[in-house]
Structure formats: structure tokens, C-alpha cells
Amino acid sequence: MLRRKDMLWLETYAQVLSSSVIAVVALGSLAFVPFTEQYARESTPREVWGTPLFRHVNRVLTLVWGGVFVAMAALGLVAVHTTSGADWFNWIIPVVLLILAVRFTERYPDQVRERAKAARTAP
């Protein structure tokens, strides 16, 4: 049975813990199959799944998302231990990081494909 003191600790550090777990899962997936690859396969033709370019893009995207979750965990820890600016550390900066990661995820694969295409057609 959880005591009130135990619940207070969990409530206090929930954001830090959840972001840390997601960061570990994301970064740990790099040792096997990057976690973004599962999502990328839903919108990518099967014939490119095994290509070095596809794998590279997903390693980079997974690193970016893992980094965002590490940063969010650190920001959450700062928010817990600060008396001013907790909203910045707990909400504003994390939301900005998430928006930037989404935009990067939307644009990066196309940029890499275009660079690879240009490299193949260059004299």
C-alpha cells in the first residue's frame, strides 16, 4: 500500500520519470531497431526499409527524439528544484522542444533524400 509520502514523491517526479523512461527506450532502441523506424515504415515503401539511407534517417530522428526526452527530463528536474520559472522548465521549453522535434521529423527525411538525389546526379 502506498503511503501519502510515497505518492507525493511520485507526483513530484512523474514528468522527470516519464521523460527519462522514454529517453532510455528511444536511445536504447538504437542498439537494435530505432524506434522511429516503426512509424516510418507506415509511410514508406517496403523496398526502401533496408536501405542505408532509410536506416541513417531513422537513427538521426531517434537521436533527436531521445535528446528531446533527455532535455525534458532535465528541465523537469530543474523545475522541481526551482522556486521561480517552473512553468518555463515544466511547460514552455518542453513544448517548444517538442514542436521543433516534430518539424525536424517532417523535414529531415526529405532533405536527406534530396541531398542523396543531388549527389547521384552530380557530375
Side-chain angles (χ1 to χ4, degrees):
M1 182 172 188
L2 288 174
R3 298 180 311 226
R4 177 70 184 138
K5 181 181 175 186
D6 295 333
M7 289 301 296
L8 182 60
W9 183 90
L10 185 60
E11 289 172 17
T12 301
Y13 290 96
Q15 191 269 341
V16 176
L17 292 170
S18 62
S19 294
S20 297
V21 168
I22 297 170
V24 167
V25 168
L27 296 173
S29 76
L30 289 168
F32 306 101
V33 176
F35 90 98
T36 59
E37 192 170 310
Q38 299 168 39
Y39 303 104
R41 287 180 179 186
E42 294 175 9
S43 61
T44 307
R46 180 180 286 275
E47 57 268 13
V48 301
W49 293 0
T51 64
L53 189 62
F54 182 78
R55 291 185 176 172
H56 169 76
V57 166
N58 283 288
R59 281 192 302 273
V60 170
L61 292 177
T62 296
L63 275 170
V64 167
W65 281 99
V68 165
F69 291 121
V70 166
M72 288 174 59
L75 289 165
L77 194 58
V78 170
V80 167
H81 294 288
T82 188
T83 55
S84 64
D87 285 344
W88 279 93
F89 297 118
N90 237 356
W91 294 101
I92 297 168
I93 298 171
V95 168
V96 169
L97 288 174
L98 289 170
I99 290 169
L100 291 173
V102 166
R103 287 189 177 163
F104 182 80
T105 300
E106 292 170 344
R107 295 178 179 150
Y108 182 71
D110 293 333
Q111 291 173 348
V112 171
R113 271 192 298 275
E114 289 301 317
R115 278 186 269 165
K117 189 178 181 180
R120 282 192 305 267
T121 60

